[in-house]
Protein backbone atom coordinates (compact mmCIF):
# COMPACT_ATOMS: atom_id res chain seq x y z
CA UNK A 1 0.00 0.00 0.00
CA UNK A 2 1.18 3.54 -0.72
CA UNK A 3 0.02 6.50 1.37
CA UNK A 4 0.71 10.08 0.25
CA UNK A 5 0.15 12.92 2.70
CA UNK A 6 -0.21 16.50 1.56
CA UNK A 7 0.65 18.91 4.34
CA UNK A 8 2.35 22.20 5.13
CA UNK A 9 4.13 20.45 8.05
CA UNK A 10 5.74 17.25 6.68
CA UNK A 11 8.25 17.26 9.55
CA UNK A 12 5.40 16.51 11.99
CA UNK A 13 5.37 12.98 10.56
CA UNK A 14 9.05 12.20 11.26
CA UNK A 15 8.70 10.68 14.77
CA UNK A 16 5.51 8.90 13.73
CA UNK A 17 7.33 7.16 10.88
CA UNK A 18 10.47 6.38 12.85
CA UNK A 19 9.04 4.33 15.73
CA UNK A 20 7.22 1.10 16.55
CA UNK A 21 4.89 -0.77 14.28
CA UNK A 22 4.80 1.92 11.58
CA UNK A 23 8.60 1.86 11.32
CA UNK A 24 8.53 -1.96 11.07
CA UNK A 25 5.91 -1.82 8.30
CA UNK A 26 8.05 0.68 6.38
CA UNK A 27 11.14 -1.49 6.77
CA UNK A 28 9.26 -4.56 5.53
CA UNK A 29 7.99 -2.44 2.61
CA UNK A 30 4.40 -3.40 3.46
CA UNK A 31 3.61 0.27 3.22
CA UNK A 32 5.27 3.22 1.50
CA UNK A 33 4.49 6.58 3.09
CA UNK A 34 5.40 9.92 1.49
CA UNK A 35 4.74 13.23 3.22
CA UNK A 36 4.73 15.99 0.59
CA UNK A 37 5.38 19.59 1.52
CA UNK A 38 2.52 21.53 -0.03
CA UNK A 39 4.83 24.54 -0.46
CA UNK A 40 6.83 22.58 -3.06
CA UNK A 41 3.77 22.78 -5.31
CA UNK A 42 3.19 26.52 -4.93
CA UNK A 43 3.31 28.59 -8.09
CA UNK A 44 5.13 31.72 -6.86
CA UNK A 45 8.62 32.35 -5.59
CA UNK A 46 7.36 32.97 -2.03
CA UNK A 47 5.86 29.45 -2.04
CA UNK A 48 2.49 30.81 -0.97
CA UNK A 49 -0.13 28.15 -0.30
CA UNK A 50 -2.83 30.20 1.44
CA UNK A 51 -4.73 33.40 0.78
CA UNK A 52 -7.46 35.63 2.21
CA UNK A 53 -11.06 34.39 1.99
CA UNK A 54 -13.30 35.99 -0.62
CA UNK A 55 -16.05 37.86 1.17
CA UNK A 56 -13.75 38.79 4.04
CA UNK A 57 -13.72 37.42 7.56
CA UNK A 58 -11.03 35.90 9.76
CA UNK A 59 -8.43 33.29 8.82
CA UNK A 60 -6.77 32.09 5.67
CA UNK A 61 -7.76 29.43 3.15
CA UNK A 62 -5.47 26.90 1.43
CA UNK A 63 -5.33 27.76 -2.28
CA UNK A 64 -6.56 25.19 -4.82
CA UNK A 65 -3.66 25.13 -7.32
CA UNK A 66 -0.86 23.74 -5.07
CA UNK A 67 -3.14 20.99 -3.72
CA UNK A 68 -4.21 20.09 -7.26
CA UNK A 69 -0.62 19.90 -8.48
CA UNK A 70 0.41 17.83 -5.44
CA UNK A 71 -2.38 15.29 -5.99
CA UNK A 72 -1.90 15.03 -9.75
CA UNK A 73 1.66 13.71 -9.45
CA UNK A 74 0.41 10.71 -7.42
CA UNK A 75 -0.27 7.54 -9.47
CA UNK A 76 -3.82 6.45 -10.33
CA UNK A 77 -5.95 4.73 -9.16
CA UNK A 78 -5.89 6.72 -5.93
CA UNK A 79 -8.45 7.47 -3.23
CA UNK A 80 -8.23 11.15 -2.33
CA UNK A 81 -9.38 11.82 1.21
CA UNK A 82 -9.74 15.25 2.79
CA UNK A 83 -9.55 15.32 6.58
CA UNK A 84 -12.27 17.61 7.86
CA UNK A 85 -14.81 17.90 10.71
CA UNK A 86 -17.46 17.75 7.92
CA UNK A 87 -16.54 14.18 7.02
CA UNK A 88 -17.97 10.81 7.95
CA UNK A 89 -16.59 9.77 11.33
CA UNK A 90 -13.69 7.36 11.02
CA UNK A 91 -14.23 3.90 12.50
CA UNK A 92 -12.83 0.37 12.37
CA UNK A 93 -15.00 -0.57 9.39
CA UNK A 94 -13.57 2.36 7.43
CA UNK A 95 -10.06 1.31 8.50
CA UNK A 96 -10.64 -2.20 7.06
CA UNK A 97 -11.97 -0.70 3.83
CA UNK A 98 -8.97 1.62 3.49
CA UNK A 99 -6.55 -1.24 4.21
CA UNK A 100 -7.64 -2.78 0.87
CA UNK A 101 -6.57 0.29 -1.14
CA UNK A 102 -3.41 0.48 -3.24
CA UNK A 103 -3.01 4.27 -3.10
CA UNK A 104 -4.44 6.49 -0.41
CA UNK A 105 -3.97 10.26 -0.50
CA UNK A 106 -4.58 12.24 2.70
CA UNK A 107 -4.98 16.01 2.36
CA UNK A 108 -4.37 17.88 5.61
CA UNK A 109 -6.19 21.18 5.88
CA UNK A 110 -4.97 24.14 7.97
CA UNK A 111 -6.34 27.57 8.88
CA UNK A 112 -10.00 27.83 7.77
CA UNK A 113 -9.55 24.77 5.55
CA UNK A 114 -9.22 24.41 1.77
CA UNK A 115 -10.82 26.19 -1.17
CA UNK A 116 -14.23 24.59 -1.72
CA UNK A 117 -13.38 23.62 -5.33
CA UNK A 118 -10.79 21.13 -4.00
CA UNK A 119 -13.51 19.44 -1.97
CA UNK A 120 -15.99 19.40 -4.82
CA UNK A 121 -13.76 18.36 -7.70
CA UNK A 122 -10.61 16.65 -6.42
CA UNK A 123 -11.63 14.87 -3.23
CA UNK A 124 -13.31 11.43 -3.31
CA UNK A 125 -14.20 11.29 0.35
CA UNK A 126 -14.22 13.45 3.48
CA UNK A 127 -13.26 11.90 6.83
CA UNK A 128 -13.48 13.32 10.34
CA UNK A 129 -11.89 11.77 13.43
CA UNK A 130 -14.58 13.14 15.73
CA UNK A 131 -16.83 16.04 16.58
CA UNK A 132 -14.20 18.56 17.62
CA UNK A 133 -11.95 20.97 15.75
CA UNK A 134 -8.16 20.57 15.56
CA UNK A 135 -5.67 23.03 14.07
CA UNK A 136 -4.81 20.80 11.15
CA UNK A 137 -5.37 17.46 9.44
CA UNK A 138 -1.95 16.04 10.38
CA UNK A 139 -3.04 14.31 13.60
CA UNK A 140 -6.19 12.93 11.91
CA UNK A 141 -3.91 11.60 9.11
CA UNK A 142 -1.75 9.83 11.72
CA UNK A 143 -4.84 8.38 13.40
CA UNK A 144 -6.04 6.95 10.10
CA UNK A 145 -2.63 5.64 9.08
CA UNK A 146 -2.05 3.92 12.40
CA UNK A 147 -5.45 2.23 12.33
CA UNK A 148 -4.97 1.13 8.70
CA UNK A 149 -1.32 0.03 8.84
CA UNK A 150 -1.89 -2.37 11.76
CA UNK A 151 -4.43 -4.20 9.57
CA UNK A 152 -2.03 -4.77 6.67
CA UNK A 153 -0.77 -8.36 6.26
CA UNK A 154 2.18 -9.37 8.43
CA UNK A 155 2.52 -6.00 10.17
CA UNK A 156 1.52 -7.26 13.63
CA UNK A 157 3.13 -10.26 15.26
CA UNK A 158 1.06 -12.90 17.05
CA UNK A 159 1.47 -11.12 20.37
CA UNK A 160 -0.47 -8.07 19.18
CA UNK A 161 -2.73 -9.60 16.58
CA UNK A 162 -5.92 -7.74 15.58
CA UNK A 163 -8.07 -10.82 16.25
CA UNK A 164 -9.73 -10.20 19.60
CA UNK A 165 -9.21 -6.44 19.46
CA UNK A 166 -12.20 -4.26 20.17
CA UNK A 167 -14.56 -4.03 17.16
CA UNK A 168 -13.05 -7.11 15.46
CA UNK A 169 -16.26 -9.04 16.10
CA UNK A 170 -18.35 -5.98 16.80
CA UNK A 171 -17.63 -6.17 20.55
CA UNK A 172 -15.19 -4.53 22.98
CA UNK A 173 -12.12 -6.53 23.99
CA UNK A 174 -12.15 -8.60 27.21
CA UNK A 175 -10.04 -7.49 30.25
CA UNK A 176 -6.35 -8.39 30.33
CA UNK A 177 -4.16 -9.26 33.32
CA UNK A 178 -0.43 -9.82 33.73
CA UNK A 179 1.95 -10.51 36.61
CA UNK A 180 1.79 -10.19 39.60
CA UNK A 181 -0.91 -12.71 40.39
CA UNK A 182 -1.92 -10.58 43.35
CA UNK A 183 -1.72 -6.76 43.48
CA UNK A 184 -2.83 -4.61 46.42
CA UNK A 185 -4.95 -7.50 47.66
CA UNK A 186 -6.67 -8.12 44.30
CA UNK A 187 -6.13 -11.45 42.59
CA UNK A 188 -6.23 -12.29 38.92
CA UNK A 189 -9.45 -14.25 38.13
CA UNK A 190 -8.73 -17.90 38.93
CA UNK A 191 -9.92 -19.21 35.56
CA UNK A 192 -7.01 -17.42 33.82
CA UNK A 193 -4.55 -19.41 35.92
CA UNK A 194 -6.37 -22.72 35.44
CA UNK A 195 -4.71 -23.73 32.17
CA UNK A 196 -8.15 -24.84 30.92
CA UNK A 197 -8.26 -23.24 27.47
CA UNK A 198 -11.94 -23.93 26.91
CA UNK A 199 -12.91 -22.27 30.18
CA UNK A 200 -10.56 -19.34 29.49
CA UNK A 201 -12.10 -18.79 26.05
CA UNK A 202 -15.60 -18.85 27.58
CA UNK A 203 -14.57 -16.39 30.31
CA UNK A 204 -13.03 -14.04 27.74
CA UNK A 205 -16.10 -14.13 25.53
CA UNK A 206 -18.38 -13.50 28.50
CA UNK A 207 -16.26 -10.57 29.76
CA UNK A 208 -16.07 -9.12 26.26
CA UNK A 209 -19.88 -9.23 26.13
CA UNK A 210 -20.09 -7.73 29.63
CA UNK A 211 -17.74 -4.83 28.79
CA UNK A 212 -19.72 -4.11 25.64
CA UNK A 213 -23.10 -4.34 27.37
CA UNK A 214 -22.00 -1.99 30.16
CA UNK A 215 -19.96 0.50 28.14
CA UNK A 216 -21.34 0.36 24.59
CA UNK A 217 -24.85 -1.15 24.57
CA UNK A 218 -25.30 0.29 21.07
CA UNK A 219 -22.70 -2.22 19.80
CA UNK A 220 -24.51 -5.17 21.38
CA UNK A 221 -27.63 -4.28 19.39
CA UNK A 222 -25.67 -4.40 16.11
CA UNK A 223 -23.42 -7.39 16.94
CA UNK A 224 -23.82 -10.71 15.16
CA UNK A 225 -24.32 -12.93 18.22
CA UNK A 226 -24.54 -16.72 18.00
CA UNK A 227 -26.74 -18.82 20.36
CA UNK A 228 -23.82 -19.36 22.78
CA UNK A 229 -23.19 -15.60 22.95
CA UNK A 230 -26.89 -15.05 23.65
CA UNK A 231 -26.76 -17.55 26.53
CA UNK A 232 -23.73 -15.76 27.98
CA UNK A 233 -25.48 -12.42 27.61
CA UNK A 234 -28.53 -13.79 29.44
CA UNK A 235 -26.20 -14.98 32.26
CA UNK A 236 -24.66 -11.51 32.50
CA UNK A 237 -28.05 -9.81 32.54
CA UNK A 238 -29.21 -12.15 35.32
CA UNK A 239 -26.04 -11.40 37.30
CA UNK A 240 -26.60 -7.66 36.88
CA UNK A 241 -30.19 -8.04 38.01
CA UNK A 242 -29.05 -9.88 41.13
CA UNK A 243 -26.41 -7.24 41.80
CA UNK A 244 -23.63 -9.74 41.02
CA UNK A 245 -20.85 -9.74 38.44
CA UNK A 246 -19.61 -6.24 39.29
CA UNK A 247 -15.92 -5.33 39.51
CA UNK A 248 -15.80 -6.54 43.14
CA UNK A 249 -17.05 -10.00 42.15
CA UNK A 250 -14.75 -10.35 39.16
CA UNK A 251 -11.52 -9.18 40.83
CA UNK A 252 -10.96 -11.80 43.46
CA UNK A 253 -9.93 -9.88 46.59
CA UNK A 254 -7.61 -12.05 48.75
N1 LIG B 1 -13.18 25.90 9.59
C1 LIG B 1 -13.17 24.48 9.62
C2 LIG B 1 -14.50 23.97 10.10
O1 LIG B 1 -15.06 24.55 11.03
O2 LIG B 1 -14.97 22.94 9.57
C3 LIG B 1 -12.12 23.95 10.57
C4 LIG B 1 -10.74 24.20 10.11
S1 LIG B 1 -9.57 23.45 11.16
C5 LIG B 1 -9.06 24.79 12.15
C6 LIG B 1 -8.20 23.22 10.10
C7 LIG B 1 -8.08 21.84 9.49
O3 LIG B 1 -7.89 20.89 10.52
C8 LIG B 1 -9.26 21.34 8.72
O4 LIG B 1 -9.29 21.83 7.39
C9 LIG B 1 -9.04 19.84 8.75
O5 LIG B 1 -8.13 19.43 7.74
C10 LIG B 1 -8.37 19.63 10.09
N2 LIG B 1 -9.31 19.12 11.11
C11 LIG B 1 -9.74 19.80 12.20
N3 LIG B 1 -10.57 19.05 12.94
C12 LIG B 1 -10.67 17.84 12.32
C13 LIG B 1 -11.39 16.65 12.60
N4 LIG B 1 -12.19 16.54 13.66
N5 LIG B 1 -11.26 15.62 11.76
C14 LIG B 1 -10.47 15.71 10.67
N6 LIG B 1 -9.77 16.83 10.34
C15 LIG B 1 -9.86 17.90 11.16
Amino acid sequence: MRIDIITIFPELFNPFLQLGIVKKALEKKTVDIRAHDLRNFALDKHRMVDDYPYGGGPGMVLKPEPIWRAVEQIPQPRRVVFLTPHGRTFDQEKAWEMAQLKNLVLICGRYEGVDERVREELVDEEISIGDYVLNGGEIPAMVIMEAVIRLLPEVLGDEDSVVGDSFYQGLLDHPHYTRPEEFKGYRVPGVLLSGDHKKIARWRKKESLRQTLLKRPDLIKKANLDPEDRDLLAEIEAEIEEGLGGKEDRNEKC
Side-chain angles (χ1 to χ4, degrees):
M1 180 179 195
R2 172 170 157 175
I3 305 178
D4 291 83
I5 311 148
I6 296 167
T7 167
I8 62 167
F9 290 133
E11 52 282 293
L12 265 179
F13 292 89
N14 291 342
F16 176 78
L17 301 177
Q18 286 161 8
L19 293 167
I21 283 167
V22 176
K23 179 185 172 205
K24 261 204 266 174
L26 287 166
E27 283 170 355
K28 281 190 181 170
K29 300 199 188 315
T30 311
V31 68
D32 172 10
I33 302 176
R34 305 177 192 201
H36 305 276
D37 187 343
L38 184 59
R39 293 187 197 284
N40 293 341
F41 299 91
L43 295 165
D44 66 315
K45 67 174 191 299
H46 302 293
R47 305 172 80 215
M48 223 175 86
V49 291
D50 58 321
D51 212 332
Y52 294 98
Y54 276 122
M60 302 295 275
V61 178
L62 289 176
K63 291 162 69 61
E65 309 95 313
I67 299 180
W68 226 279
R69 294 177 72 207
V71 169
E72 277 184 340
Q73 44 98 36
I74 297 163
Q76 295 263 26
R78 56 188 179 221
R79 170 92 62 95
V80 181
V81 171
F82 176 49
L83 287 326
T84 165
H86 291 213
R88 172 196 151 159
T89 309
F90 187 65
D91 59 13
Q92 192 65 23
E93 201 183 324
K94 185 48 83 178
W96 277 111
E97 187 203 313
M98 285 182 164
Q100 315 305 317
L101 296 172
K102 258 183 102 88
N103 290 316
L104 173 64
V105 182
L106 300 172
I107 301 177
C108 306
R110 278 270 155 183
Y111 318 120
E112 287 305 316
V114 299
D115 184 286
E116 191 64 16
R117 289 162 290 190
V118 169
R119 303 169 72 146
E120 284 176 356
E121 304 299 331
L122 189 65
V123 165
D124 298 313
E125 188 175 9
E126 296 191 331
I127 299 278
S128 163
I129 60 158
D131 288 351
Y132 41 80
V133 176
L134 301 166
N135 294 333
E138 287 75 11
I139 289 173
M142 289 182 216
V143 167
I144 289 175
M145 284 194 287
E146 189 150 313
V148 169
I149 290 168
R150 67 197 305 285
L151 300 179
L152 297 177
E154 289 170 39
V155 168
L156 297 187
D158 254 6
E159 71 282 5
D160 40 19
S161 140
V162 296
V163 178
D165 269 352
S166 294
F167 311 114
Y168 186 76
Q169 289 177 315
L171 300 175
L172 299 180
D173 195 5
H174 58 77
H176 298 267
Y177 293 88
T178 186
R179 275 183 278 259
E181 215 171 282
E182 186 221 311
F183 176 67
K184 290 187 184 287
Y186 290 95
R187 293 187 65 78
V188 169
V191 59
L192 298 179
L193 311 171
S194 69
D196 184 332
H197 296 296
K198 231 173 139 186
K199 274 195 187 151
I200 293 172
R202 187 181 187 278
W203 181 88
R204 287 183 168 158
K205 190 55 181 275
K206 184 170 172 182
E207 296 313 312
S208 162
L209 285 160
R210 190 194 311 274
Q211 297 284 327
T212 315
L213 181 70
L214 295 175
K215 297 176 185 169
R216 291 291 303 275
D218 57 307
L219 293 179
I220 288 277
K221 284 193 196 121
K222 287 188 278 177
N224 199 2
L225 302 180
D226 63 23
E228 203 187 325
D229 298 337
R230 295 202 173 280
D231 288 348
L232 288 172
L233 201 57
E235 264 180 42
I236 297 165
E237 281 163 345
E239 285 170 10
I240 293 173
E241 199 138 293
E242 285 174 50
L244 296 170
K247 195 170 83 183
E248 309 72 34
D249 300 316
R250 293 197 308 281
N251 285 329
E252 293 167 19
K253 185 101 173 140
C254 314

